[in-house]
Amino acid sequence: MDRSENLVLKDPEPRIHPTAELKACKLGRYASIGERVVLREVNVGDFSYFERHAEAIYTTIGKFCSIAANSRINALEHPIERVTQHKLSYRPNEYFRWLGVDAAFRARRQAKAVSIGNDVWIGHGAVIMPGISIGNGAIVGANAVVTRDVPAYAIVAGVPAKPLRRRFTPEIAARIESLAWWDWPPEKLAKAVPDMQALAIEDFLDRWEQEPS
């Protein structure tokens, strides 16, 4: 890395607040985990961040995702078909010696992983239910409860969450997908930021579709 790059690029190591709790997680470059965030078996892509008091389990998150405070990704499922839905039946180790975690129920939860694409915004207090897939560029409104998959570039809100509109026309969305700016190296991203701020989406695409990869 030359001197000019050193002046532009900051330390890419993930930032984790000391009150956050992470177990079996993988964090990308520039990822940021906020105050009292709890993550279990979560992969967080480059530049994605969690604000305070958010939680996630069994989830893969793409790059440049914005996860707002108090959101819950892959909300806990209970075995409602059993005589008791209490964790007594799947975490008896919390109450009794020699009784372990219910491995079959844990595997059932892991099989319903959540997948979140790139550049997704999860609003304050939103809840993403097990097994949901959210496409690139989508927006989940504050306090929404997502019970169905969310298409790329869709805006959803409500309880249960329903589509409100698309961020872009299908043609523009397809061009963004093809550009895949989230995979650019940091040096190229730094050069593109002023155009992200100043140009209309069509002009930005016209300009940067011509740039070498």
Side-chain angles (χ1 to χ4, degrees):
M1 183 181 295
D2 62 27
R3 184 174 180 274
S4 63
E5 289 175 336
N6 272 317
L7 292 173
V8 171
L9 303 181
K10 291 190 172 183
D11 185 353
E13 283 297 308
R15 300 191 303 274
I16 305 172
H17 194 277
T19 62
E21 298 180 21
L22 280 67
K23 181 179 179 181
C25 294
K26 181 179 180 182
L27 306 182
R29 298 173 302 168
Y30 302 99
S32 178
I33 310 300
E35 180 182 357
R36 299 191 184 281
V37 169
V38 178
L39 304 180
R40 298 287 186 270
E41 297 188 34
V42 176
N43 289 342
V44 181
D46 296 349
F47 294 89
S48 291
Y49 63 89
F50 279 82
E51 294 287 6
R52 62 194 180 283
H53 303 286
E55 296 186 27
I57 189 170
Y58 309 139
T59 299
T60 298
I61 297 169
K63 302 174 183 178
F64 296 92
C65 289
S66 308
I67 315 297
N70 299 313
S71 55
R72 182 72 184 268
I73 301 175
N74 205 341
L76 180 62
E77 178 185 17
H78 288 256
I80 61 174
E81 75 282 358
R82 295 180 180 178
V83 67
T84 178
Q85 57 194 340
H86 190 272
K87 64 181 178 179
L88 170 76
S89 77
Y90 58 91
R91 292 183 192 163
N93 58 304
E94 296 186 15
Y95 307 100
F96 308 111
R97 297 186 179 90
W98 307 300
L99 290 176
V101 171
D102 184 339
F105 183 72
R106 185 170 185 269
R108 172 173 135 183
R109 288 279 293 124
Q110 289 174 318
K112 295 181 180 180
V114 168
S115 175
I116 297 176
N118 303 292
D119 193 35
V120 172
W121 175 16
I122 307 296
H124 183 103
V127 176
I128 314 300
M129 298 303 289
I132 295 297
S133 177
I134 299 178
N136 291 333
I139 298 174
V140 175
N143 297 313
V145 178
V146 180
T147 60
R148 295 185 179 182
D149 291 350
V150 179
Y153 304 99
I155 302 174
V156 302
V159 182
K162 296 181 180 179
L164 299 181
R165 64 180 179 88
R166 297 294 183 107
R167 289 179 60 199
F168 305 111
T169 65
E171 293 76 16
I172 292 297
R175 290 174 68 184
I176 297 172
E177 291 287 291
S178 180
L179 192 66
W181 61 266
W182 43 80
D183 289 331
W184 291 353
E187 298 84 357
K188 185 173 181 179
L189 282 166
K191 294 176 182 177
V193 166
D195 284 347
M196 290 179 175
Q197 296 170 337
L199 298 181
I201 184 64
E202 295 89 345
D203 296 333
F204 180 88
L205 291 168
D206 290 342
R207 162 76 174 83
W208 287 91
E209 284 170 338
Q210 308 306 316
E211 286 290 315
S213 58

